[in-house]
Amino acid sequence: NVAVRVLNVAHHFGEAGDAKHVKALQDTTMDIYRGELLALIGPSGCGKTTFLRCLNRMHDMTKNARVEGKILLDGQD
């Protein structure tokens, strides 16, 4: 039973073409199942925290931050 479905999520800081533009996530897709234990591991700066902030919409408050793709919770966008 899928609880969270992440489809082609990308995250950008800054405007495209701007020297400070950073694409922090690219084409991230995964299913997280109800009751599943999930660990995000990787080196510093690889996008773990950015991904988690996409899930809980913390970037909605960040100026020039943009999330693309879909994050579905129990089938709801």
Side-chain angles (χ1 to χ4, degrees), residues 11-77:
H11 187 279
H12 305 262
F13 291 102
E15 298 297 323
D18 184 358
K20 294 183 180 180
H21 176 260
V22 173
K23 192 169 191 178
L25 294 174
Q26 179 174 316
D27 299 324
T28 304
T29 297
M30 72 171 62
D31 288 337
I32 303 170
Y33 294 89
R34 193 166 316 287
E36 178 179 48
L37 180 63
L38 177 71
L40 298 175
I41 59 172
S44 177
C46 74
K48 300 177 301 289
T49 300
T50 298
F51 177 70
L52 290 174
R53 289 175 63 94
C54 288
L55 292 180
N56 65 16
R57 298 188 62 175
M58 295 279 298
H59 286 300
D60 289 2
M61 307 299 284
T62 304
K63 184 178 179 183
N64 293 325
R66 181 168 39 100
V67 177
E68 298 172 346
K70 287 191 178 266
I71 300 172
L72 306 174
L73 175 60
D74 292 327
Q76 299 287 320
D77 193 356

Side-chain angles (χ1 to χ4, degrees), residues 1-17:
N1 189 4
V2 176
V4 179
R5 177 162 281 158
V6 179
L7 301 168
N8 300 314
V9 169
H11 187 279
H12 305 262
F13 291 102
E15 298 297 323

